[in-house]
Each structure stands twice: as structure tokens, then as C-alpha cells.
Amino acid sequence: MSDNPEELKAQIKKLSAQAMTWKMNLHDLSEELPVNWETILETAQKTHDAYAALTAARQRLAELG
């Protein structure tokens, strides 16, 4: 993770878009159940990971002030 605030802001923008994509994938999956129920855990984990990365980047930016 970068220590440059401007680079970190750009990274946060990308991470936010990725997190939103996984959020929508999870939402779409839930609406289509029981179709593709086998992918629930994988999709949920990827959504969790995306939001964890986004949260960490935001915290790092806050630390940099």
C-alpha cells in the first residue's frame, strides 16, 4: 500500500469500484436463489475481501492525514 496520499486516493477509487461490483454480484446472486447457490461462499468471500481492502486503504489514508 502506498504512502503517497494521491496514489492512495486513486487506489481507494479502484478498490471502491471493485467492492461495489462484488456487492452487486452478491445481491444479484441472492435474487436468483436457488440458482447458483453453489457460488454463495465464494462470492461472499470475495465481497468480504474487497471491503476489507477498501477499509484498510481508507484507514491508511486517514493515518497519513
Side-chain angles (χ1 to χ4, degrees), residues 17-65:
Q18 290 171 354
M20 185 61 73
T21 296
W22 281 109
K23 174 185 169 185
M24 292 309 300
N25 289 346
L26 190 59
H27 177 267
D28 292 346
L29 176 62
S30 71
E31 287 187 340
E32 296 169 0
L33 288 173
V35 175
N36 294 324
W37 68 269
E38 302 91 344
T39 64
I40 292 171
L41 292 178
E42 177 185 0
T43 304
Q45 184 64 58
K46 288 183 179 182
T47 304
H48 176 274
D49 294 347
Y51 276 96
L54 177 58
T55 299
R58 286 178 174 163
Q59 287 175 345
R60 182 66 185 136
L61 183 61
E63 290 170 3
L64 293 175

